Amino acid sequence: MLVGFSVSNYKSFKNEQKLSMVASKVARHKEHVTIKGARKLLKSALVFGANAGGKSNFVKAVHFSKNIILNGLDHVSVDKKYFRIDGEMYSKPGVFEYRMIINETEYCYGFALSYNTKEILAEWLIKINNKGEEVFIFNREVDEEGINHVDTEIEYENADENARMNIYLEDFGEGISDSLKKKTILSDIAARVNDKSRIFTDIVAVYEWFQNIVVIFPTSKYAALNDVVSDEELKRFFGSVMSFFDTGIEEIKGQEQEMDFDKVLQNVPREEAEKIKIEISNDIKNEPIMLRINQKIYVLRKGENGNIVYYKMLLNHGNQEDLFEYLDESDGTRRLFDLIPVLFLNRKKSVIFIDEIDRSLHTNLTKRFLKMFYQSLSDNSCQLIVTTHDSNLLDLELLRQDEIWFVERKDDHSSELYSLSRYKERFDKKIEKEYLIGRYGAIPVFDESFLPMEVFDEE
């Protein structure tokens, strides 16, 4: 579970800003809290703020840093990602740090990158015991002369284990290659070891924790929609949730259709498309295979006539003779299809970030979605962190004070992230009203001196 996340010098975040998932002493909504070791951690956090305040940049910071951690700097663009309002920030590092608990053990992992040289300047993984004592599993940094140094405080009883660890770390030391300067130690070691026991247990566990982070943006689409109808349990779940939310959908059905490869592969180069067709024809026997094209997933199988078919999702709105397709649905219904997997697929221990959870959704629907999420998490370590414009969600009947966060753009155009807990509000306070009148900041401020008043003059 996430204990906290901090970021500095990334987009609108100039100075270090921290989000903490550590629960305060608030007594209400105890079902929103999970005990992990000596920590009481929140299952959710909602970030509110005005347009251009920095809410989306916070989610982007998570997505950006996750990609670097797992794939390295070669797989992301660092251009113009620093705090551009201050030109000097280009030469200063961007820093990202996570604190998490995995299997009752607490870790701190972070890295610093150079926007100028496009290299990782520092990286650290720390293990924290029950007494709060910290031990560096590894610590990497570049000195003022550009020399790389890496070390560890871990000592193993077996000499072979120590040697193996040191060999891996030496690659990131003084003689580091240009390619490794753009890669994390965490991903390099996790990819090289084939056992999860003994000395690399911690490294593999932290790496897999980052793999399980889910980030959903307003434009994100659930790629496996067509696969919903081939899984009876998944199909029933989607159908029941869509009915519950009063979308007009009574049932989700599947219709077998012959695969039109020319249409599906129209944006794929011809030679590659022909190669895909041949591979599929050779691979499909008695077992279905999965094909991902243009962010869509198709589960393909052999039809009765030997042709290649897939199931297409169709929606029953009360007329079995005239079924609807996904694209016939409203923006709000399609948004639900993208969010429902959060409820269904969050059985594993993961952290889910959603930017603009309320997009195209009615307030009551968003509230009910959050309540369903809490209900599905009664015995689960999953966490949900979302951004939203919907001030109606500022309701202490729905949320704890420590689950409410704000992002505000300051005078220097940098974003500040802070918790409602700093105001020590009573549980019966009408938070929405106080927010809209500006008590907590993070609302639009209109400067009429910039308005061309002549447009309002009468003719």
Side-chain angles (χ1 to χ4, degrees), residues 48-50 394 405-409 416 418 422-423 434-445:
F48 297 81
L394 285 166
W405 289 77
F406 301 104
V407 173
E408 182 175 46
R409 189 176 71 250
E416 180 185 11
Y418 54 96
R422 72 158 59 166
Y423 296 93
E434 296 294 319
Y435 170 67
L436 291 176
I437 64 175
R439 171 170 166 76
Y440 312 123
I443 60 171
V445 177

Side-chain angles (χ1 to χ4, degrees), residues 283-331:
D283 290 344
I284 289 185
K285 294 179 182 177
N286 297 322
E287 295 294 326
I289 67 169
M290 184 175 291
L291 173 67
R292 185 185 183 107
I293 297 289
N294 298 328
Q295 298 185 333
K296 291 185 178 180
I297 291 177
Y298 299 87
V299 178
L300 307 179
R301 53 182 57 79
K302 284 276 190 180
E304 293 181 0
N305 299 322
N307 54 336
I308 298 174
V309 299
Y310 74 101
Y311 277 113
K312 183 177 183 179
M313 185 180 69
L314 296 173
L315 309 163
N316 178 10
H317 279 264
N319 182 358
Q320 292 274 11
E321 305 302 319
D322 191 357
L323 300 176
F324 285 60
E325 295 190 24
Y326 169 77
L327 292 177
D328 295 326
E329 300 297 333
S330 68
D331 288 342

Side-chain angles (χ1 to χ4, degrees), residues 58-274:
F58 173 76
V59 179
K60 289 175 182 177
V62 172
H63 188 250
F64 177 74
S65 57
K66 174 191 172 182
N67 281 340
I68 292 174
I69 292 165
L70 298 180
N71 305 309
L73 287 169
D74 283 334
H75 290 76
V76 301
S77 170
V78 300
D79 293 337
K80 298 182 179 180
K81 295 297 193 299
Y82 62 95
F83 181 71
R84 295 168 59 193
I85 305 302
D86 183 349
E88 293 184 0
M89 298 303 290
Y90 176 67
S91 59
K92 295 183 179 180
V95 183
F96 306 81
E97 184 176 81
Y98 294 82
R99 207 170 180 103
M100 71 287 284
I101 293 178
I102 306 170
N103 299 327
E104 308 301 326
T105 301
E106 186 166 344
Y107 301 92
C108 175
Y109 174 83
F111 69 91
L113 68 90
S114 168
Y115 292 109
N116 185 6
T117 63
K118 297 178 175 57
E119 298 173 355
I120 293 176
L121 300 176
E123 183 187 3
W124 55 95
L125 176 59
I126 303 170
K127 188 174 183 177
I128 303 149
N129 64 26
N130 293 333
K131 297 179 181 179
E133 298 169 339
E134 300 181 349
V135 177
F136 277 93
I137 295 176
F138 59 75
N139 184 39
R140 163 192 186 183
E141 58 184 15
V142 179
D143 65 23
E144 294 179 354
E145 272 122 40
I147 306 300
N148 282 263
H149 303 275
V150 62
D151 57 27
T152 178
E153 294 179 348
I154 297 291
E155 285 291 337
Y156 303 106
E157 296 179 2
N158 188 303
D160 290 338
E161 294 174 353
N162 277 316
R164 191 177 176 192
M165 181 69 163
N166 289 330
I167 288 172
Y168 285 161
L169 294 182
E170 281 176 5
D171 289 344
F172 288 85
E174 189 170 343
I176 187 172
S177 65
D178 289 341
S179 61
L180 288 182
K181 289 180 180 180
K182 300 177 182 296
K183 194 173 183 181
T184 64
I185 294 176
L186 189 75
S187 65
D188 182 71
I189 293 181
R192 290 166 71 173
V193 299
N194 54 18
D195 62 320
K196 297 182 181 180
S197 60
R198 303 180 70 83
I199 62 175
F200 299 110
T201 302
D202 298 309
I203 292 174
V204 173
V206 172
Y207 179 81
E208 290 178 345
W209 185 85
F210 280 106
Q211 285 183 312
N212 287 335
I213 290 178
V214 177
V215 181
I216 301 174
F217 291 104
T219 56
S220 298
K221 299 297 179 186
Y222 180 48
L225 272 181
N226 284 321
D227 195 31
V228 167
V229 295
S230 65
D231 184 315
E232 286 300 319
E233 183 182 2
L234 195 58
K235 184 169 66 173
R236 285 195 300 271
F237 181 81
F238 267 78
S240 63
V241 174
M242 298 307 282
S243 296
F244 174 82
F245 282 125
D246 193 28
T247 62
I249 296 173
E250 297 183 0
E251 183 184 14
I252 293 178
K253 301 178 72 68
Q255 183 182 86
E256 191 175 272
Q257 294 205 345
E258 185 172 348
M259 190 66 173
D260 185 346
F261 283 107
D262 291 334
K263 182 177 180 180
V264 172
L265 300 173
Q266 61 183 348
N267 295 321
V268 177
R270 180 176 296 179
E271 290 185 4
E272 185 177 343
E274 290 300 324

